[in-house]
């Protein structure tokens, strides 16, 4: 499985190319290096590495190194500004099926001293089923070592949908991880099932003593919040610890939620989403609001199909500081979302579309240490892009 | 000024053509005849007539006749499925400047018996200023006869912006008309000034006795509602008389409002819009909500730049019945908006994008008697399009 190849993708002198915009028209893995204007910032979009087979996540390791997962089951290390791509050995076994496979990648908050790489993926279980799982291993050269499985959800499914699996770190160095509903919506309301939740774990996989349900014998200790459908975007504000997620709903039910300990986000009883066939509220839904269910801070309309989520923290794009950047699959764009407090609640003040139909389906968005933003697109021949200085 | 030409535009066998999608890339006036899929309906987009110079409005007169205004100052009659285009004589004088010129066109609700054509336009006033005005004339052959000026706003402006001027008929056969703020936002709060309002008039231009401010000596009798910035989309539900408008806000402040007699819609004191330069709330704005100000039913995000508005009433697109179709200028798309009652209030349940970047800036959307939809795009070489059966 080793792919000892170095692919030169982006020459410094690469010319801008025009990219087709038909929704079904995936851009070729070409040398994209193009300048864009937006409402308050200019930026340059540069393809820095590829092709990747359905890349799912990008984790910057510095200004010039990135880890990228490929959904069929690979983790690759991109170096030298994109010129070197090396496949990493020693990964846990994955069953790639439908939306499942090798999914998110994150590194320990003190990666320089503790070079742990965390991976989420669809783990093979009995009877052809899969469960969303979390493992970590130390990155040593081109391999993971001391690999240990930290968590496997307590239920497995034959469906190939809604794995969730996004990872984020909170300000206390604890790991947050999402698990989707695996196509079994009502399970998201069951506290004895990890499906449809956000989990909180210590960096070694143990359960924090103050997790909200540790004293509830009928609930699983790892659960931090529940009632979610398929959270593929999660980011923590490093200053104040707020946990922002994007939950990928059924048609029109895409949400931004602010996650708080022990809360129920309502899926599938409460949703704005519509049945794909009838344009009615789905059968299992009971309304748009419900006592005891936290309302979303925002509902994306039209349908966005949110994937990875970043929070702009750096100085490079000063006008975007504090904004969320929500990747969109079906929508083929990034939505910049300006959220602020008003009358004691968080509300969306503004949204802007970035990269509309420029690079196809957006799968992940992440900020690098220099304030540049990194994006992977969901395609057979996906690429790693930088949104950087113009 | 007569343009005695017949232009054959759409051959029945016209082939689909691909249209550029760069936001700055206006489609050529070509033979567009292309099938589209959307969430719940299939449809065919056909260019039926053109080119038109910045067409502003389309008024279907039957299944095979349309009136179209061209902003520089023309009204044209399109017949024979688009093969015949005749310029209409006898129009009121117009000063075309910036966003102003010949603007909306509508016909009397009983047009077959009373062939009055109503036009809104920027009327030349002293000192190079203009005022939004309303005239009507009887359509006789290729001319308007018995032309009479029914209304001129009581203030004139040198700016070339925010004329409003959309016309709609209510269920009592009264005429509603919007007037924009002409770039002087605070005037929209002044009831002694027609700027920033919706007016209600009888079909002959007289003021209905029960208009909300007729007993207020300090308010103008024509005003029906106020506190609006630039309503370019207005439609009345023929069954229940609800007046839906789209108000074109500053960046991010585009609204859908349900207009009720005597109400204040808040502009410019209350807006979600942002200053184009600073991304802050504009100086004159005081907040997002205010006592005594009606909240919008919906705020379009990202920025839509709404123009013409239609309400789907016919059977042809059954899945869209009761939905609003809001044309967008900058957004270069139509947003299909599903509004329904929930907990006693109107809320948006769903939105869908149609014709995203397919025909450039959308200026008007109207439903024809057969349930087909008609669209004009804002371009030097604009066209009249039909959204019809696939």
């Amino acid at each position: 499985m080793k792919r000892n190849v170095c692919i030169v993708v982006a020459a410094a002198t690469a010319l801008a190319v025009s990219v087709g915009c038909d929704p079904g028209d995936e851009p070729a893995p070409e040398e994209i290096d193009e300048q864009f204007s937006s409402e308050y910032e200019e930026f340059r979009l540069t393809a820095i590495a590829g092709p990747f087979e359905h890349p799912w996540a990008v984790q910057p390791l510095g200004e010039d190194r990135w880890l990228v997962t490929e959904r069929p089951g690979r983790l690759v290390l991109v170096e030298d500004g994109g010129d070197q791509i090396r496949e990493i050995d020693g990964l846990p076994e994955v069953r790639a099926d439908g939306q499942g496979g090798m999914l998110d990648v994150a590194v320990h908050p003190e990666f320089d001293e503790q070079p742990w790489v965390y991976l989420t993926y669809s783990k093979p279980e009995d009877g052809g089923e899969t469960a969303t799982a979390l493992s970590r291993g130390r990155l040593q050269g081109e391999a993971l070592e001391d690999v240990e499985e930290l968590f496997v959800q307590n239920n497995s499914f034959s469906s190939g949908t809604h794995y969730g699996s996004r990872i984020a770190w909170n300000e206390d160095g604890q790991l947050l991880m999402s698990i989707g509903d695996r196509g079994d919506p009502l399970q998201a309301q069951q506290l004895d099932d990890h499906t449809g939740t956000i989990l909180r774990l210590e960096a070694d996989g143990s359960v924090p003593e103050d997790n909200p349900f540790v004293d509830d014998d009928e609930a699983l200790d790892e659960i931090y919040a529940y009632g979610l459908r398929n959270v593929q975007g999660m980011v923590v504000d490093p200053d104040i610890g707020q946990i922002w997620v994007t939950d990928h709903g059924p048609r029109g039910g895409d949400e931004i939620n602010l996650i708080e300990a022990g809360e129920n986000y309502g899926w599938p009883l409460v949703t704005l989403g519509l049945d794909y066939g009838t344009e009615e509220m789905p059968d299992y839904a009971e309304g748009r609001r419900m006592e005891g269910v936290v309302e979303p801070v925002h509902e994306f309309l039209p349908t966005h199909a949110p994937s990875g989520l970043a929070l702009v923290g750096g100085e490079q794009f000063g006008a975007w500081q504090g904004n969320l950047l929500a990747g969109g699959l079906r929508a083929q764009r990034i939505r910049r979302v300006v959220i602020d407090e008003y009358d004691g609640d968080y509300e969306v003040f503004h949204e802007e579309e970035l990269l509309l139909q420029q690079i196809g389906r957006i799968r992940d968005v992440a900020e690098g240490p220099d304030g540049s933003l990194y994006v992977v697109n969901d395609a057979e021949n996906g690429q790693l892009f930088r949104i950087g200085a113009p």
Side-chain angles (χ1 to χ4, degrees), chain A:
Chain A
M1 286 291 288
K2 207 159 179 180
R3 182 169 58 176
N4 266 326
V5 288
C6 300
I7 305 172
V8 177
V9 172
T13 56
L15 296 173
V17 297
S18 76
V19 178
C21 74
D22 184 310
D25 191 15
E26 279 183 358
E30 291 179 273
E31 296 182 354
I32 293 173
D33 185 22
E34 197 170 348
Q35 181 138 352
F36 288 85
S37 290
S38 70
E39 288 176 353
Y40 298 97
E41 292 285 357
E42 306 269 308
F43 61 88
R44 180 165 285 274
L45 176 75
T46 309
I48 54 180
F52 300 115
E53 190 179 354
H54 291 288
W56 208 91
V58 53
Q59 165 70 60
L61 294 181
E63 292 192 17
D64 200 30
R65 293 176 87 205
W66 305 268
L67 288 168
V68 173
T69 55
E70 292 181 292
R71 201 175 61 203
R74 293 182 289 274
L75 173 68
V76 293
L77 179 63
V78 179
E79 296 181 291
D80 296 341
D83 289 354
Q84 293 245 7
I85 300 180
R86 292 195 185 90
E87 192 170 327
I88 301 298
D89 278 338
L91 306 189
E93 190 188 351
V94 160
R95 179 173 294 143
D97 177 26
Q99 298 165 6
M102 186 60 73
L103 301 172
D104 206 13
V105 56
V107 296
H108 193 283
E110 291 161 7
F111 183 68
D112 288 347
E113 297 78 44
Q114 301 196 53
W116 290 110
V117 172
Y118 292 74
L119 294 165
T120 57
Y121 53 94
S122 53
K123 181 188 175 181
E125 299 279 14
D126 291 343
E129 297 190 335
T130 55
T132 302
L134 171 73
S135 285
R136 70 172 181 177
R138 290 179 195 274
L139 183 63
Q140 302 286 356
E142 297 177 24
L144 294 189
E145 298 183 353
D146 306 323
V147 172
E148 47 186 350
E149 181 182 277
L150 300 185
F151 170 82
V152 186
Q153 71 175 120
N154 74 328
N155 203 348
S156 60
F157 298 84
S158 55
S159 91
T161 60
H162 305 181
Y163 294 82
S165 86
R166 196 61 74 182
I167 300 168
W169 296 95
N170 73 11
E171 75 281 22
D172 297 324
Q174 296 169 320
L175 182 149
L176 300 155
M177 172 180 167
S178 62
I179 310 257
D181 75 1
R182 297 304 305 279
D184 196 350
L186 289 165
Q187 288 305 103
Q189 287 294 318
Q190 302 304 317
L191 286 169
D192 60 356
D193 188 326
H194 290 116
T195 55
T197 65
I198 304 290
L199 312 175
R200 186 173 70 169
L201 305 171
E202 301 292 352
D204 64 1
S206 62
V207 174
E209 285 178 10
D210 59 347
N211 262 12
F213 298 108
V214 289
D215 296 330
D216 181 342
D217 290 344
E218 296 176 4
L220 294 167
D221 293 349
E222 296 88 354
I223 295 176
Y224 189 72
Y226 67 107
L228 296 152
R229 181 174 181 267
N230 193 21
V231 168
Q232 289 182 63
M234 178 158 52
V235 66
V236 177
D237 186 312
D239 296 325
I240 49 179
Q242 282 170 335
I243 304 164
W244 294 102
V245 303
T246 47
D247 196 10
H248 188 125
R251 180 169 281 165
D254 301 326
E255 300 179 353
I256 297 178
N257 287 292
L258 181 56
I259 298 295
E260 308 219 34
E263 295 288 1
N264 180 3
Y265 290 83
W267 175 255
L269 307 179
V270 181
T271 178
L272 187 63
L274 301 175
D275 187 277
Y276 288 95
T278 64
E279 200 169 9
E280 301 292 325
M281 206 173 263
D283 286 342
Y284 36 72
E286 298 182 7
R288 296 186 66 145
R289 290 179 285 278
M290 188 183 287
E291 190 79 24
V293 162
V294 180
E295 283 190 53
V297 171
H298 190 51
E299 289 160 328
F300 287 111
L301 285 174
T303 296
H304 187 55
S307 52
L309 184 68
L311 175 71
V312 181
E315 303 281 340
Q316 180 154 328
F317 298 110
W320 296 351
Q321 269 194 324
N323 298 173
L324 294 174
L325 299 179
L329 292 162
R330 181 171 178 283
Q332 302 192 34
R333 69 200 74 171
I334 293 171
R335 279 164 91 148
R336 180 174 71 89
V337 185
V338 181
I339 296 179
D340 214 338
E341 279 190 283
Y342 190 81
D343 279 353
D345 282 318
Y346 285 96
E347 297 187 15
V348 167
F349 274 68
H350 191 56
E351 276 192 84
E352 181 185 11
E353 295 172 341
L354 303 173
L355 301 183
L356 174 60
Q357 294 184 340
Q358 293 295 316
I359 54 171
R361 293 159 56 86
I362 309 288
R363 178 58 84 179
D364 197 19
V365 187
E367 189 179 50
D370 64 340
S372 290
L373 298 154
Y374 297 95
V375 177
V376 290
N377 60 340
D378 177 47
E380 283 281 339
N381 52 3
Q383 290 178 282
L384 171 62
F385 298 89
R386 178 196 291 115
I387 296 173

